[in-house]
Amino acid sequence: MKKPLEVLRLYPEHDYTLNGALASRASRDPSRPFLFFQGRSWSWGEFAQKAEAAARVLAARGIRKGDRVGVMARNCDGHVVMLFALARLGAIMVPVNPEFGVEEAKYVLHHAEISAVAATRDTLEVARKAAAGLKTPAWFLALDAAAADAPLLDDLLKNAAATELPRDIDGEATCLIVYTSGTTGFPKGAMHSQRSFVTGGEAFVQRVHLQDDDRVMIVLPLFHINAMFYSVAGTLAAGASMVIVPKFSASTFWQTAVETGATEVNIIEAIGSILRARPRSEFRPEHRIARVYGVRASMDAAFRDEFGIAHRIGGYGMTEIPGVTCNPFDVENEGPQKLGSMGPIGRHPDPSRPWAQCRVVDDEGRDLPDGEPGELWVKTPIIMQGYFRDPEQTANAFHDGWFKTGDLVKRDSDGYYYFISRKRDIIRRRGENIAAAELDRVVGEHPAVAEAGTIAVPSDLGEDEIFVVCAVKPGAQVTAQEIADWCRARLAPQKVPRFVAFVDELPHTPTHKIAKAQLREDKALRAKAVDLQPSDGARRPS
């Protein structure tokens, strides 16, 4: 096995643009496989040509440096083509959750003021409705099947004009705006540069010792920072190959791994819990997966002993700061893995490169000793450029150059960090951060609801479930199912609450905010909650 720095040194140096990194990796052997998707494959050379042609198509349609283009689609090869093509122009990809309803997608597309949207057949109609009313009307591009006013990208590539492409794109050009839920209930667009993206991939090579002959299976959604900054960027940095799976399927996961020859995969806690609970008849022992990133302590034994995964790695990062800490891969030379920890601060394969710094501080920003919980503050080369068109939120996120994560952690004497809880009002469900304030706002708009308070409660699969407490208007009547249906019509499926309870009045703080601490501590309230997804009988939030 090559050391991480040896992997990076297989290729010529480059300028830390996506196009430069792609050319560097393709130059070694253009015929090596780069991308597999639904029975089709592209070599590094073929993909580089396709991305260049797509850039010419986009340029011919008027896309210029700094323009934003939405991609609202299920996992497909088009995501990666659009990412590299837009980066070649210095333009910006805005990935949008394909599960979003019209209102959620509308906020993102309008806030980003997108010029165009690339979509798949199952998201195109929502994207059209969401983009309606933009100051400058957006045009549409289909990634899987042509439709009215949405030509198929592959068809356009056949006749790509010899359009002049810019030569002044550098690594500081923004290439991604990833929208993440904020405590205000409205998403914030975290901007990342091309240098940040490419560097993030190099750091992932270090975290899992990714090799040039590895095959990375991508089951997490490509609108998510994990799939982009770890799987796609890691594949790019290592000069490896990727297998894109449209959507995670527990019943076919191991079969897909065997058929595709996957050697590495990233998961979230819920996926690990689901795989551990699935019938072992679905498991295929001949799989070649040697590394899994995202395995939590509770499922480590199953992945080691039952699934035969040699390397199980976990770490910590956020949309704004991907890949900050990680448990060591090489326990002999880098230190032990401590199950249940976020690991020590990660590093770059090149030890001479300056890397992340972390502090654990109190509410006044004073450093705390080891073992004492406080908020994690971070400085790292892989950091967002700020929140798009939101200078106030950007300023609030930093203090003297330190990014304030809002997460409570503690550090042990060996420099390993341990997650305690989220300081901010964020719910972690199915790998996504969900702002409780957004649920408060949407449920509060129901005609029978006077006010709503949303909190997180533990999930059977790890992470959180959503518990909404509603104060009903005098004389009004509403059921828990009606609240869920209301949310389902306006929000993505993962934001629909599992538990609903009704009260006459919600508790408030002296500043008239909902006293969510009281809601979390109220056992009587939890006892009367309605479970909207009961399995083996009604269950109450614990």
Side-chain angles (χ1 to χ4, degrees):
M1 178 182 291
K2 302 179 186 72
K3 294 181 179 179
L5 187 56
E6 292 173 338
V7 172
L8 299 189
R9 287 179 172 170
L10 291 171
Y11 312 100
E13 294 185 0
H14 55 82
D15 60 1
Y16 279 83
T17 64
L18 270 71
N19 184 62
L22 178 62
S24 165
R25 274 49 184 169
S27 68
R28 180 182 169 208
D29 179 2
S31 65
R32 290 180 304 119
F34 172 65
L35 190 151
F36 297 87
F37 177 67
Q38 292 190 329
R40 299 179 306 208
S41 65
W42 291 267
S43 69
W44 280 88
E46 289 169 338
F47 182 84
Q49 292 176 356
K50 185 170 185 176
E52 185 88 357
R56 292 199 300 270
V57 166
L58 294 171
R61 297 293 298 266
I63 300 300
R64 298 292 183 265
K65 184 177 181 179
D67 287 348
R68 280 81 56 199
V69 174
V71 176
M72 186 173 182
R74 306 285 176 192
N75 279 10
C76 65
D77 54 331
H79 275 92
V80 186
V81 173
M82 291 295 293
L83 174 68
F84 281 85
L86 289 166
R88 178 66 182 85
L89 302 174
I92 303 165
M93 176 171 157
V94 182
V96 183
N97 186 341
E99 298 286 354
F100 272 178
V102 172
E103 290 303 312
E104 294 163 299
K106 180 178 180 179
Y107 179 85
V108 172
L109 298 180
H110 282 247
H111 185 268
E113 292 189 359
I114 53 92
S115 300
V117 182
T120 44
R121 71 188 79 186
D122 57 342
T123 61
L124 184 58
E125 188 60 30
V126 171
R128 277 200 187 101
K129 292 178 180 178
L134 281 163
K135 293 179 182 178
T136 302
W139 52 271
F140 294 87
L141 192 62
L143 296 179
D144 61 353
D149 83 352
L152 183 65
L153 176 60
D154 283 346
D155 289 343
L156 296 177
L157 295 182
K158 297 172 184 176
N159 300 298
T163 308
E164 185 73 18
L165 298 178
R167 300 178 182 275
D168 61 345
I169 308 304
D170 61 30
E172 304 314 311
T174 304
C175 68
L176 274 171
I177 300 178
V178 182
Y179 277 81
T180 179
S181 295
T183 53
T184 62
F186 293 97
K188 298 176 294 186
M191 301 182 291
H192 279 281
S193 69
Q194 297 197 31
R195 183 180 301 277
S196 178
F197 183 86
V198 175
T199 305
E202 293 177 345
F204 191 70
V205 171
Q206 174 65 45
R207 285 203 294 282
V208 302
H209 284 222
L210 202 63
Q211 302 292 296
D212 57 308
D213 60 354
D214 268 323
R215 191 164 291 189
V216 178
M217 185 166 73
I218 302 175
V219 298
L220 296 179
L222 283 164
F223 66 84
H224 196 283
I225 204 78
N226 186 311
M228 276 292 178
F229 263 75
Y230 302 166
S231 298
V232 175
T235 298
L236 173 66
S241 59
M242 70 180 81
V243 177
I244 298 177
V245 179
K247 190 176 183 180
F248 167 71
S249 167
S251 62
T252 62
F253 177 87
W254 297 110
Q255 178 68 25
T256 300
V258 171
E259 291 175 351
T260 60
T263 59
E264 195 278 340
V265 66
N266 289 10
I267 64 172
I268 58 174
E269 184 176 5
I271 287 179
S273 297
I274 291 169
L275 290 174
R276 182 182 57 181
R278 295 291 298 182
R280 292 301 180 262
S281 59
E282 296 172 352
F283 177 64
R284 296 287 301 275
E286 66 270 32
H287 74 81
R288 296 175 52 212
I289 295 176
R291 307 170 190 83
V292 177
Y293 184 82
V295 173
R296 298 295 179 90
S298 61
M299 61 194 72
D300 185 76
F303 275 77
R304 180 192 65 218
D305 301 333
E306 298 186 60
F307 301 150
I309 309 293
H311 301 284
R312 307 155 312 280
I313 309 103
Y316 169 86
M318 298 174 64
T319 301
E320 296 87 343
I321 47 168
V324 177
T325 69
C326 184
N327 265 289
F329 180 93
D330 183 354
V331 297
E332 292 185 4
N333 299 308
E334 299 173 3
Q337 287 202 357
K338 294 188 179 184
L339 293 180
S341 81
M342 296 155 44
I345 296 172
R347 61 186 180 89
H348 190 271
D350 185 347
S352 69
R353 295 274 292 268
W355 211 242
Q357 305 171 59
C358 293
R359 296 170 60 192
V360 181
V361 303
D362 63 16
D363 289 340
E364 306 302 321
R366 296 172 298 205
D367 291 286
L368 293 168
D370 291 342
E372 192 166 333
E375 184 179 1
L376 179 66
W377 286 9
V378 176
K379 282 185 178 179
T380 172
I382 314 172
I383 192 166
M384 70 169 183
Q385 297 166 303
Y387 295 118
F388 184 67
R389 291 183 175 167
D390 200 337
E392 182 179 353
Q393 290 276 20
T394 300
N396 290 339
F398 291 88
H399 178 82
D400 290 339
W402 292 89
F403 179 76
K404 302 182 291 185
T405 68
D407 287 332
L408 298 176
V409 305
K410 63 181 179 180
R411 181 184 55 236
D412 69 16
S413 59
D414 294 324
Y416 285 64
Y417 292 80
Y418 296 79
F419 181 82
I420 297 173
S421 67
R422 283 171 288 281
K423 189 175 182 180
R424 297 173 292 182
D425 197 11
I426 295 292
I427 298 169
R428 183 73 172 176
R429 192 186 197 200
R430 300 178 192 171
E432 292 295 309
N433 288 331
I434 298 168
E438 183 180 27
L439 270 295
D440 297 347
R441 174 170 54 83
V442 171
V443 176
E445 291 171 352
H446 190 285
V449 175
E451 193 175 29
T454 307
I455 59 174
V457 293
S459 166
D460 295 331
L461 299 175
E463 298 186 338
D464 301 324
E465 291 285 5
I466 299 172
F467 182 14
V468 175
V469 184
C470 303
V472 180
K473 292 178 181 178
Q477 292 185 342
V478 63
T479 66
Q481 187 61 55
E482 287 170 344
I483 294 297
D485 292 342
W486 176 268
C487 293
R488 190 173 290 108
R490 291 160 177 81
L491 299 169
Q494 67 267 24
K495 297 180 183 179
V496 176
R498 174 167 181 178
F499 301 103
V500 177
F502 297 97
V503 295
D504 294 329
E505 186 177 359
L506 290 172
H508 291 84
T509 67
T511 56
H512 303 290
K513 295 181 180 179
I514 298 172
K516 293 195 175 181
Q518 288 183 237
L519 296 180
R520 296 185 185 99
E521 296 167 1
D522 191 342
K523 295 182 179 179
L525 184 63
R526 298 186 181 201
K528 67 178 183 180
V530 176
D531 183 356
L532 292 161
Q533 298 173 10
S535 51
D536 297 328
R539 174 183 175 271
R540 303 302 177 193
S542 57

